[in-house]
Amino acid sequence: MSFPGRLRTERAVALAVVALAAVVVVPVVSVSVSAQSVADVEARDSLIADQENLLNTYRCLFGVDTGVVPGGCPNPDRVSPGVAPESPTKLDVMVRDELIGSQEALLNVYRCRFDVDTQLVPGGCVDGAPAPPEIVPADPVAAPAVTAGREHSCAIRADRSVVCWGDGELGQLDAPSGQFSTISAGWEHSCAIRVDWTAVCWGLDRAGKADAPSGRLIEVSAGGSHSCGIRADRTAVCWGLNSSGQADAPSGEFADISAGGFYSCGIRADRTAVCWGQNTHGQADAPSGEFLAVSAGWRHTCGIKADRTAVCWGDNASGRADAPSGEFTDISADDFHSCGIRADRTAVCWGSSPKGKTDSPSAEYADVAAGGGHSCAISASYSIVCWGDHAGGREDAFFSGDIGGPEDCPDAGGASTVPIDSDGDGVADQCSATYTEVAAGTAHSCAIRADQTVQCWGSNTNHKGDTVGQSAAPEGTFTAVSAGRNSSCAIRADQTVECWGEPILDGSGNQAAPPDGEFTAVAAGGPIACAIRADQTVECWGRIVESCLLGGPCEYTDIGTFDDTFTAILATPQFACGVTTGRKFECWGYRPAIRSFGRGFTGAFVATSLGESHFCGLRPGRAAVCWGDNAHGQADAPPGEFSSISVGDSHTCGITRPGRAAVCWGDNAHGQADVPPGEFSSISAGASHTCGIRPEGNIVCWGDNAHGQAEQPTG
């Protein structure tokens, strides 16, 4: 990279004479995340020239450092601004910003040493030297920045504070306090650079991707599995998962960097683009030529070339790599779509467009970011506009828009509420509390809110019509919940078990209270319940039918326990099963009912779910396998990988991976297998209805709603 000779000389002089006093040299102008305009550089060059002329005035007036004054004293030559490059990059601006910071620091040294213009020194002068400077926003008039992650978004406000909104289940919204100059939202975490040039990350810290390195960084990018940044010496550094070499940053100086799914890209000082890491779809095959900006998505990459045209490479499913023609000033690539800002400041997006995430509103914009299911931009008036999948507020936080903001939804008993699009028309029409866990019982459902309170809905009666209260959830905070036939159980925050609804009886017909002690998981199976203790042993209570005389009384027996340690527990009215710490599947209780399942449950499992007549589990490779009653096809598990699985009475549901789509199979007499479109983070199959939690935390239910069990809770 070449710069005007005057710039190189001035930078050397300014840095050399800083030794007059101990001065912290910081840039005073922030760097935008998009490609730079000629006007950006011209404005900086003009400021550099003005600063240098003032420095020379001081030098001649006070007889200091006169040897560096062009033309000598007392009448130095007037310094004129340099000529800006035709297509400036971030590096052009960064070099100028550092020079501006250095010159301003030196001016303050002169002002304090010679007691002139001291009112211009931030913090004033102390003993003839500038007071230790406070870190202040680099440029109080610079535009805010916006960034869109997979299911959350973040922005830097005009006061340099950070605000985030959307899915916060993994801490993505827990932005630190302070002032920031740069921000980047990844899949499940975010990173930002403070105005003192230190980096900080928050959210999911899997494999250390949120563990930002120490030292000064001038650029940061949060990806899917890792993060990358540019140090003050222009070298690249990456941290986090390195399964495909995505964190092995090459040597050399960089002007821009972007962390994608499992790969990274950057622009070198000579403006060439380079990528490293996973290259399954050609996403790391950077084309030749000079670049001004680059953005790495999941499996495709986009960049702005020196002539300001956009180019994309890698996976082109749904046209995500088909960059439109024309000149661009900003570009952003995400999972399945891309967005850019044209030279006329309008935004355009391309690629997959469910729920309108590529349908950018007509307006002028300064910055744009493509997220997982949505897009966000900063308008010319510095307001934020977002479009696409509303997803529980991921694209509206401190602003209003066509879909409405959180201010339109009331507080739900201490739980956060968000506007949701219940009918899929792109407009939020209901308010819903955010939830972390859902359980579907026979004719009722229960869920844990984000504030850890339990909410239940649906039937409150048993098969005789007697009110038993299985939907009357107790007060307090809980960590797990299970909905059975006519009863519910949950684990409180202190790890004790509480059950409500139809009483659970022991073999003698007396009410069986939950055991004392600390527990981590619970399963309500109607007349029985089981829980896993903190030491991973299992304890069950209740009774099972041993035999019944024709027209006479039934004989009952206690369910008992199994002598092993467990990681998961399931319960039915006649027996209980669990996955041992050795990944084996064991059952106990009424043996004839257990034998009816056959011998399919041998081998290792990582997840299981049990119904009254069939069973399903996930093998270590995440393939689903089912056996038992298959009268409705509920045991015909589809191929593919699953992240979770749930068994109902005569149907089964699971969440696929990757993609997080829900799929159900088996009995569909009540629509319990008609899964609505969209992504899910968890799912629970009941007797004849199903409930799932969206990634943003709202609940969706479908199927039999005779008792209101498939109603969507509203907080």
Side-chain angles (χ1 to χ4, degrees), residues 515 519 528-533 535-544 557-566 569-570 574-578 580 586-591 594:
F519 294 84
I528 68 169
C530 296
I532 299 178
R533 290 192 177 275
D535 62 1
Q536 295 188 300
T537 59
V538 164
E539 184 155 352
C540 298
W541 61 102
R543 63 181 184 177
I544 58 174
T557 183
D558 291 336
I559 174 66
T561 59
F562 193 90
D563 187 17
D564 208 331
T565 54
F566 291 80
I569 191 71
L570 310 161
Q574 290 188 302
F575 60 94
C577 297
T580 69
E586 301 287 355
C587 297
W588 60 98
Y590 188 49
R591 302 309 302 178
I594 297 174

Side-chain angles (χ1 to χ4, degrees), residues 216-563:
R216 294 178 64 199
L217 268 68
I218 58 177
E219 188 70 47
V220 71
S221 177
S225 60
H226 67 300
S227 307
C228 291
I230 299 178
R231 294 191 181 276
D233 62 1
R234 317 290 181 208
T235 58
V237 59
C238 298
W239 58 97
L241 186 66
N242 196 32
S243 58
S244 300
Q246 63 265 41
D248 289 335
S251 59
E253 294 188 355
F254 284 81
D256 192 15
I257 200 163
S258 180
F262 294 92
Y263 74 108
S264 311
C265 292
I267 297 178
R268 293 189 180 275
D270 62 1
R271 299 193 187 186
T272 59
V274 60
C275 300
W276 57 97
Q278 188 182 79
N279 195 31
T280 54
H281 292 75
Q283 64 266 43
D285 291 334
S288 59
E290 294 186 351
F291 284 82
L292 305 178
V294 67
S295 179
W298 180 27
R299 297 186 305 201
H300 80 292
T301 312
C302 292
I304 299 177
K305 304 207 76 170
D307 61 1
R308 294 198 175 272
T309 58
V311 60
C312 300
W313 59 96
D315 186 7
N316 194 32
S318 304
R320 70 193 70 170
D322 286 338
S325 59
E327 294 187 357
F328 287 80
T329 62
D330 192 15
I331 201 162
S332 178
D334 201 77
D335 287 11
F336 305 108
H337 77 296
S338 311
C339 293
I341 295 180
R342 295 186 182 275
D344 62 1
R345 305 181 78 178
T346 59
V348 59
C349 299
W350 57 97
S352 176
S353 188
K355 296 200 174 183
K357 66 182 178 182
T358 62
D359 299 335
S360 54
S362 178
E364 291 188 355
Y365 298 97
D367 191 14
V368 70
H374 66 297
S375 306
C376 290
I378 295 180
S379 71
S381 61
Y382 294 165
S383 62
I384 291 182
V385 180
C386 296
W387 57 95
D389 184 6
H390 175 73
R394 73 176 64 169
E395 85 272 320
D396 43 24
F398 53 91
F399 60 95
S400 60
D402 294 337
I403 304 180
E407 66 275 9
D408 299 327
C409 286
D411 183 60
S416 60
T417 60
V418 294
I420 60 170
D421 174 16
S422 66
D423 53 13
D425 64 356
V427 178
D429 49 25
Q430 290 188 19
C431 291
S432 172
T434 53
Y435 297 85
T436 60
E437 183 176 337
V438 66
T442 298
H444 76 293
S445 306
C446 293
I448 296 180
R449 292 190 180 103
D451 63 358
Q452 292 191 301
T453 58
V454 168
Q455 180 181 3
C456 297
W457 61 100
S459 176
N460 257 323
T461 61
N462 61 17
H463 66 285
K464 298 177 182 178
D466 299 330
T467 299
V468 294
Q470 65 264 43
S471 292
E475 296 181 351
T477 56
F478 296 83
T479 60
V481 68
S482 176
R485 177 177 289 178
N486 298 318
S487 64
S488 307
C489 293
I491 295 179
R492 288 192 174 275
D494 62 2
Q495 293 188 292
T496 59
V497 173
E498 181 162 350
C499 297
W500 59 96
E502 192 164 57
I504 297 175
L505 306 178
D506 61 20
S508 302
N510 300 315
Q511 184 168 346
D516 296 330
E518 296 183 350
F519 294 84
T520 60
V522 66
I528 68 169
C530 296
I532 299 178
R533 290 192 177 275
D535 62 1
Q536 295 188 300
T537 59
V538 164
E539 184 155 352
C540 298
W541 61 102
R543 63 181 184 177
I544 58 174
V545 177
E546 190 71 20
S547 64
C548 290
L549 297 176
L550 183 62
C554 296
E555 293 185 5
Y556 298 91
T557 183
D558 291 336
I559 174 66
T561 59
F562 193 90
D563 187 17

Side-chain angles (χ1 to χ4, degrees), residues 193-208:
I193 297 178
R194 298 185 183 275
V195 292
D196 64 357
W197 304 110
T198 58
V200 59
C201 301
W202 60 96
L204 182 65
D205 192 24
R206 182 180 293 130

